[in-house]
Amino acid sequence: MNILVSACLLGVNCRYDSNNTYNQKIAELISKHFLIPICPEQLGGLSTPRLPVEILKGDGSDVLSGRACVKNSCDVDLSVQFIKGSIETLNIAILYGCSVAILKAKSPSCGKGCIYDGTFSKTLRKGNGVSAQILIDNGIKVFNESEDFFPYLK
Ligand code: SF4
C-alpha cells in the first residue's frame, strides 16, 4: 500500500537542525510498501536549517481554526507556512491514495497524540501537530513511529 511517512524518519536531513530521525523499523517497510516521504515544514516553504518551532496555547486543530499560532524561538509567527505545508501534505496523500500515515512524534507539524507545549522547555502536552491533524480530519489513519501500525497495513 502507499504510506505517507515523515521524511526525517527515512533518513532525510530535513529537521530544523539539519539532522534526521532515521528509524530502521519504518525504513524496512519499503520491502512491502510504497513509502512517500513528506516534510510538511519544507513543503510550507521553510528552509533547513531553521529555528525550532512550537505551537503556542493550543494544538494543530487550534492552528487550523485560527485559535492558536505557530512561532519559532525568536517569536516569529509561522502559522501561514505550517498551514500551507499541511495542505500540501494532504494533497500528496490524496494524490497517492494514502489511507495511512506514519509521522514523527512530538513535532508541531507531524506529532500525533502529544506535542511540545509552546514554552520551548521540552514540556509535552496532549494534541496533534498541524499536518497530523489535517490528515486525521480528512479520514487518514495517522500513527507516530512508536505506535503499532502493523495491523493497519495491507
Ligand atoms: S516537519 Fe515532520 S518530516 Fe519535517 S523534519 Fe519535522 S517531523 Fe520531520
Side-chain angles (χ1 to χ4, degrees), residues 6 100 113 124 142:
S6 292
V100 169
L124 293 170
V142 175

Side-chain angles (χ1 to χ4, degrees), residues 2-124:
N2 291 348
I3 306 172
L4 204 68
V5 181
S6 292
C8 56
L9 289 173
L10 297 174
V12 179
N13 292 323
C14 53
R15 263 176 50 119
Y16 75 95
D17 56 2
S18 292
N19 283 318
N20 65 74
T21 52
Y22 178 77
N23 183 305
Q24 189 168 352
K25 178 182 73 172
I26 310 294
E28 285 176 352
L29 293 173
I30 205 163
S31 65
K32 291 186 177 172
H33 302 280
F34 186 42
L35 306 183
I36 297 129
I38 48 89
C39 176
E41 293 177 21
Q42 290 187 340
L43 287 167
L46 298 177
S47 60
T48 304
R50 54 192 174 274
L51 291 171
V53 171
E54 296 190 7
I55 298 173
L56 273 68
K57 297 179 181 170
D59 57 15
S61 179
D62 296 315
V63 174
L64 289 166
S65 62
R67 296 191 303 267
C69 62
V70 189
K71 286 191 174 181
N72 69 18
S73 55
C74 281
D75 207 34
V76 175
D77 192 330
L78 299 172
S79 302
V80 169
Q81 290 88 338
F82 270 64
I83 292 170
K84 179 177 187 292
S86 73
I87 293 169
E88 298 290 0
T89 297
L90 176 61
N91 286 341
I92 292 170
I94 292 170
L95 181 68
Y96 283 93
C98 298
S99 57
V100 169
I102 303 172
L103 304 183
K104 179 72 189 81
K106 303 174 188 171
S107 154
S109 297
C110 293
K112 186 247 164 173
C114 67
I115 54 174
Y116 290 113
D117 73 347
T119 61
F120 294 93
S121 60
K122 301 289 181 196
T123 306
L124 293 170

